[in-house]
Amino acid sequence: MRAADPADFTPRKLLSPVALADEEARAHLRLVRSRGAFVRISRSPLPHETILIDRRVMILAGQETPTGREYTVTTSQILVDGVHSLFRAIWDAAVDLEIYLRSDVPQLDAEGRMILKALGPGLTDESAAKRLGVSLRTYRRRVVELMAELEADSRFQAGLRAGELGLPH
């Protein structure tokens, strides 16, 4: 559906932190945000996907199941107004996506920053361990710990995530 005047319409997405579980979801939300939507993260549990259209129509989407999703659509003004009021209260207490992501930045110690810096030029594990003066086993263990801290599935993704978070290295 389109608004009569796009300047009068700003989509708002309100999500729980679960929506940021993987990098693909984070990238999608950044894309949505770059296209003009407001995106906020709420610490309140949000059990259903709720869509409000022009404060006249509400769509509630149930959880995904093996047989699909159940949807409830209503134009009942009492229900729409009630859910809109709840939405506004949660929205006002929620945090902007970028602020939430910045506050979720891991604090790397000096060794963690050194490991991150060693990942950049693409050195072999042996060369990086030697350069840092640690054993190969210690270097690899620290790389795994760094990837876990950055919620990355690969070394490349760890580098991207570190850059995205503005981590010093």
Side-chain angles (χ1 to χ4, degrees):
M1 297 182 79
R2 294 181 182 215
D5 180 5
D8 292 339
F9 177 72
T10 303
R12 296 171 188 253
K13 289 190 72 79
L14 180 61
L15 306 148
S16 69
V18 173
L20 304 172
D22 60 50
E23 194 54 43
E24 188 176 327
R26 291 171 190 241
H28 172 73
L29 290 174
R30 283 195 173 95
L31 175 66
V32 166
R33 194 165 184 266
S34 74
R35 294 191 175 160
F38 293 130
V39 180
R40 288 192 178 180
I41 307 300
S42 170
R43 299 220 184 261
S44 300
L46 304 169
H48 300 286
E49 181 178 356
T50 305
I51 302 166
L52 295 167
I53 303 168
D54 294 333
R55 293 187 62 183
R56 293 188 319 227
V57 179
M58 177 179 64
I59 303 168
L60 293 177
Q63 299 297 320
E64 191 70 46
T65 68
T67 59
R69 294 175 85 177
E70 180 179 330
Y71 295 90
T72 301
V73 180
T74 185
T75 57
S76 166
Q77 203 57 55
I78 292 171
L79 291 175
V80 172
D81 288 345
V83 169
H84 182 263
S85 293
L86 292 171
F87 175 87
R88 287 299 310 197
I90 296 171
W91 178 266
D92 290 344
V95 177
D96 180 76
L97 173 66
E98 292 303 321
I99 293 170
Y100 182 87
L101 290 176
R102 278 197 302 270
S103 69
D104 200 25
V105 175
Q107 299 300 312
L108 300 182
D109 59 15
E111 188 178 7
R113 287 191 302 276
M114 289 180 358
I115 298 290
L116 185 60
K117 189 172 186 174
L119 289 174
L123 300 172
T124 64
D125 286 355
E126 291 82 7
S127 297
K130 187 175 181 178
R131 180 180 284 184
L132 296 174
V134 297
S135 73
L136 178 59
R137 186 175 173 174
T138 298
Y139 176 78
R140 287 182 173 159
R141 179 180 51 78
R142 289 291 288 157
V143 167
V144 169
E145 291 169 357
L146 178 65
M147 287 171 46
E149 229 175 312
L150 294 173
E151 300 175 6
D153 297 323
S154 69
R155 293 168 183 228
F156 178 75
Q157 191 179 44
L160 286 178
R161 179 96 168 105
E164 166 187 294
L165 294 171
L167 290 173
H169 54 277

